[in-house]
Amino acid sequence: MAEHRALKRGLTLRHVLFIALGSAIGTGLFYGSASAIQLAGPSVLLAYVIGGAAVFMVMRAMGEMALAHPVAGSFSEYATLYLGRGAGFVTGWTFALEMAFVAIADVTAFATYMKLWFPTTPSWVWISSLILVILAINLSKVKAFGETEFWMTLIKVAAIIAMIAGGVILLIFGATMTGGDIQPSVTNLWDEGGFFPHGITGFLACFTVVMFAFGGVETVGIAAGETENPKVSIPKAINTLPVRILLFYILTLAVIMSLYPWHEISGETSPFVQIFEGLGIPAAAHILNVVVVTAAVSAMNADFYAAGRMLYGLAQRGMAPKSFNKVAKNGTPFMTVICMGVVMVVGVLVNIFFENAFMLVAAVATFATVMVWVMILLAHIAFKKKTSHPTDFPVPGWPFASYLALAFMVFAVVLFAFFEDTQLALIAGLVWCLLLAVVYAVFLRGKKDDAAGAEAARP
């Protein structure tokens, strides 16, 4: 019977490194960075440093637990083990919700991007085609997922490196931008209203955008359950996070804001388009479209994978439908993948027929991202208190750094209440947590954790 098969370890070091690399690159960087710049100006660079440091602590905390428990349920299982069954239930389903909603946004964005080349083709054609492609990838061996992410990440990374190199060339040679109105210079980082042009309020407001941009990095922890040598792959992948933040966000945005004063980056077009156009490349929009299409497909692929494996882990502990336990001969939890496909269809239909639904999708995903990180840190703190022996991948600066990161994440959630654009995220998130609490109290409270089933299904 398929129910009793386990996942198979098919991800190599190369796959895991590029999954980690690609998880930081999505539409949040290529398009979303403009909104963060508008909120904070050049001080957004400091926000990415602070937020990135906190996320790095989350990843190190998850990594230390992942080496001790390399399982498909990842941080949901850690929360179950060290915080209790209810915490594991909330963490797992919140992460699955995050991935599902982000995937809905990604597939919707994909259909929008394709209109540049095929303006008369109905959106449903692209949406249904992409869902079928992603289903095919995720119903194959896990190695197919790893290979797909590897090659798509190469495209995304190449685009960023090309942008940085092109931007540096423009700065060195002092090229004039936008018909002679703008002169590229690093002084644009402080001459146009100062480093904090909108004061502390604008600086704090950008943190909600910044933290959402980092969402998805925890997918590396999910991959631990199917990695051939997690004790080597996971630490290497997690330790690349500071370099990723420095290269993909801080250096990239520093170059962009040196080429253009921050207030010239309106968000009407991607900052990347402005760079390519500044280099005199007439096909800038088409080049970027290739990249953002790749980013959307890659992100949705990872969303399917992560949500499916999380639901599988929950099912192993009796916290999700038993059918989610089913694993095909190739080691794929096919029922969870099919479930994600159905969610995509329903979610996209709602998104198309109800215009405001997209705002709610983005709001819940934002809250869920930070909520999952909070639970990872809480689980890790409990893990450290219960673990007396040294571990293979200890968190640096324990315990001070861990508590500081936790305080920052809680602070990020509190910030949602003070800005109109993020208040919806807080309300939707609290409603979701209340709903999970009710479901747990009615259906799961008092029932024993099916740890034996989880243990049997470990690869």
Side-chain angles (χ1 to χ4, degrees):
M1 296 290 289
E3 293 94 319
H4 302 298
R5 294 193 184 102
L7 303 182
K8 295 182 180 179
R9 296 192 183 275
L11 296 176
T12 65
L13 174 60
R14 172 173 62 92
H15 295 142
V16 175
L17 286 176
F18 272 75
I19 290 170
L21 198 63
S23 63
I25 313 171
T27 50
L29 172 61
F30 291 115
Y31 278 106
S33 56
S35 61
I37 291 171
Q38 284 299 302
L39 286 169
S43 65
V44 73
L45 299 177
L46 180 59
Y48 275 110
V49 171
I50 296 172
V55 172
F56 178 63
M57 290 305 303
V58 173
M59 293 297 289
R60 285 298 299 258
M62 184 182 67
E64 185 171 7
M65 292 186 291
L67 294 194
H69 311 284
V71 294
S74 188
F75 34 87
S76 171
E77 175 147 334
Y78 312 151
T80 300
L81 291 173
Y82 299 106
L83 298 177
R85 186 170 165 81
F89 177 77
V90 171
T91 303
W93 278 101
T94 299
F95 177 77
L97 177 84
E98 173 195 348
M99 292 292 99
F101 276 28
V102 172
I104 291 170
D106 287 332
V107 73
T108 305
F110 174 80
T112 302
Y113 300 151
M114 294 303 291
K115 286 188 179 295
L116 176 68
W117 298 319
F118 306 97
T120 60
T121 304
S123 294
W124 68 264
V125 173
W126 302 117
I127 290 172
S128 57
S129 298
L130 180 58
I131 290 176
L132 289 174
V133 169
I134 298 298
L135 279 172
I137 293 171
N138 280 268
L139 288 172
S140 303
K141 291 182 179 180
V142 70
K143 188 175 181 179
F145 164 75
E147 285 294 324
T148 303
E149 286 300 294
F150 175 81
W151 291 107
M152 287 193 289
T153 296
L154 273 181
I155 295 173
K156 295 187 288 185
V157 171
I160 291 177
I161 293 175
M163 192 286 300
I164 293 174
V168 170
I169 290 172
L170 291 173
L171 286 170
I172 291 174
F173 290 99
T176 302
M177 313 289 284
T178 318
D181 297 331
I182 298 173
Q183 188 67 34
S185 172
V186 292
T187 61
N188 286 329
L189 293 174
W190 55 82
D191 281 349
E192 301 291 330
F195 192 70
F196 292 87
H198 290 159
I200 190 66
T201 301
F203 177 66
L204 293 177
C206 83
F207 272 104
T208 53
V209 180
V210 168
M211 301 315 290
F212 178 70
F214 289 131
V217 295
E218 62 272 25
T219 301
V220 175
I222 300 288
E226 295 173 273
T227 302
E228 290 178 354
N229 192 349
K231 291 192 175 182
V232 173
S233 301
I234 299 304
K236 285 188 176 181
I238 290 175
N239 284 336
T240 63
L241 184 61
V243 177
R244 283 183 275 153
I245 294 169
L246 180 64
L247 177 65
F248 298 150
Y249 289 96
I250 299 170
L251 183 56
T252 301
L253 297 186
V255 169
I256 288 172
M257 289 186 289
S258 295
L259 292 171
Y260 295 90
W262 65 270
H263 52 79
E264 295 287 340
I265 304 170
S266 63
E268 294 177 3
T269 62
S270 168
F272 284 69
V273 169
Q274 292 180 268
I275 300 299
F276 288 131
E277 288 177 342
L279 286 168
I281 300 175
H286 295 283
I287 293 173
L288 179 73
N289 214 48
V290 171
V291 177
V292 294
V293 163
T294 302
V297 175
S298 173
M300 187 175 171
N301 191 37
D303 297 337
F304 258 66
Y305 170 81
R309 267 51 176 187
M310 179 59 75
L311 292 174
Y312 169 80
L314 287 169
Q316 290 301 316
R317 287 190 169 273
M319 293 188 282
K322 290 183 178 180
S323 61
F324 289 176
N325 282 336
K326 295 183 178 181
V327 177
K329 289 182 180 180
N330 62 7
T332 301
F334 63 93
M335 285 302 296
T336 63
V337 174
I338 293 172
C339 175
M340 277 294 291
V342 173
V343 170
M344 287 303 97
V345 173
V346 174
V348 170
L349 287 175
V350 171
N351 207 6
I352 290 173
F353 291 110
F354 299 93
E355 202 170 310
N356 292 332
F358 183 81
M359 292 177 61
L360 183 60
V361 167
V364 176
T366 303
F367 180 90
T369 298
V370 181
M371 180 72 177
V372 167
W373 291 340
V374 168
M375 296 305 289
I376 290 173
L377 288 169
L378 287 173
H380 178 259
I381 290 171
F383 163 80
K384 293 292 285 187
K385 289 181 178 179
K386 293 181 181 180
T387 305
S388 57
H389 56 82
T391 60
D392 295 328
F393 192 47
V395 167
W398 167 262
F400 174 77
S402 295
Y403 282 103
L404 186 62
L406 178 61
F408 173 79
M409 292 300 175
V410 173
F411 173 69
V413 173
V414 172
L415 281 178
F416 285 14
F418 292 92
F419 301 99
E420 186 176 353
D421 291 341
T422 54
Q423 287 172 351
L424 179 62
L426 184 61
I427 295 171
L430 292 176
V431 170
W432 170 252
C433 290
L434 178 61
L435 176 63
L436 287 180
V438 171
V439 170
Y440 180 81
V442 173
F443 297 103
L444 295 173
R445 185 181 297 277
K447 292 185 179 181
K448 291 184 178 181
D449 187 16
D450 189 13
E455 186 67 33
R458 290 180 185 177

